[in-house]
């Protein structure tokens, strides 16, 4: 049973560029959330996708956008990269949008460095 | 606003001792909590969870305690081992989103 998988694992981008990160959820999961984790900090919620639509959003600018595909996989896009966007980007998957006790499982993350 | 925070940034324990990591949350509507372990360079790994209608839950060598009155939860690790060295996060769910604290680094001394 595959867990949450993310790609790429590491990448370096230049300020102003755009980046796309990819995530495949755990088998059987239909909800994908993205988190940004700066060094020495806890993960910060970016947004959540369910049924191919953005359902929840954290306090992140419109430069951060996403997409969910019919197979539940997801992409995170960041435009006009800033140095402060350098972080570990984590994808988490879960089953269904509502209900108690729906554990979220994380992938290993994509390390983004903006130079 | 939403916040989940930890009392101590670093905790050092002797191998074999018990560890207690604490976490406070602000949203009384939080209905579900998870503890994660994150090793260097890796994603958070699920340890144990607890629903708000419970005050204690036990796993293998780990116990989570929830005190809703003071909005506090703790993670107890029995017989701490070197492999337990990592950063531990608590996460609380509120308004269908999870909020994380900044983490506690657990150092296990041999």
């Amino acid at each position: 049973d595959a867990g949450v998988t993310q790609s790429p694992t590491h990448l370096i981008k230049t300020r102003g560029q755009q980046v796309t990160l990819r995530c495949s959820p755990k088998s059987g999961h239909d909800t994908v959330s993205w988190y940004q984790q700066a060094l020495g900090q806890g993960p910060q919620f970016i947004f959540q996708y369910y049924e191919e639509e953005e359902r929840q959003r954290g306090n992140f600018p419109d430069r951060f956008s996403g997409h969910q595909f019919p197979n539940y996989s997801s992409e995170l896009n960041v435009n006009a990269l800033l140095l402060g966007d350098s972080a570990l980007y984590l994808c988490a998957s879960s089953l269904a949008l509502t209900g108690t006790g729906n554990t979220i499982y994380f992938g290993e993350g994509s390390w983004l460095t903006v130079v | 606003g939403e916040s989940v925070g930890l009392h101590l940034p670093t905790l050092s324990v002797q191998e074999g001792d018990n560890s207690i990591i604490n976490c406070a949350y602000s949203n009384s509507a939080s209905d579900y909590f998870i503890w994660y372990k994150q090793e260097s360079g890796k994603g958070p790994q699920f340890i144990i969870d607890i629903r708000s209608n419970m005050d204690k839950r036990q796993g293998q060598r780990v116990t989570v305690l929830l005190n809703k009155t003071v909005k506090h939860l703790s993670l107890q690790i029995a017989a701490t081992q070197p492999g337990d060295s990592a950063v531990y996060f608590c996460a609380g769910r509120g308004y269908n989103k999870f909020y994380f604290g900044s983490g506690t680094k657990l150092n296990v001394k041999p």
Side-chain angles (χ1 to χ4, degrees), chain A residues 10-29:
Chain A
H10 295 80
L11 70 167
I12 300 174
K13 291 286 188 177
T14 304
R15 277 179 299 176
Q17 283 189 315
Q18 179 264 347
V19 67
T20 297
L21 308 177
R22 296 174 177 82
C23 172
S24 292
K26 182 178 171 65
S27 179
H29 283 184

Side-chain angles (χ1 to χ4, degrees), chain A residues 37 97 99-100 103-104 108, chain B residues 32 36 38 43 93 95-97:
Chain A
Q37 186 177 23
L97 186 61
T100 60
T103 303
I104 57 173
E108 296 296 349
Chain B
Y32 178 57
Y36 289 92
Q38 188 172 27
R93 183 173 67 187
Y95 308 115
N96 217 31
K97 291 184 287 189

Side-chain angles (χ1 to χ4, degrees), chain A residues 48-60:
Chain A
Q48 180 185 72
Y49 276 84
Y50 172 69
E51 291 187 334
E52 303 178 48
E53 290 188 11
E54 184 182 295
R55 300 291 181 166
Q56 296 267 1
R57 190 177 183 94
N59 189 26
F60 280 81

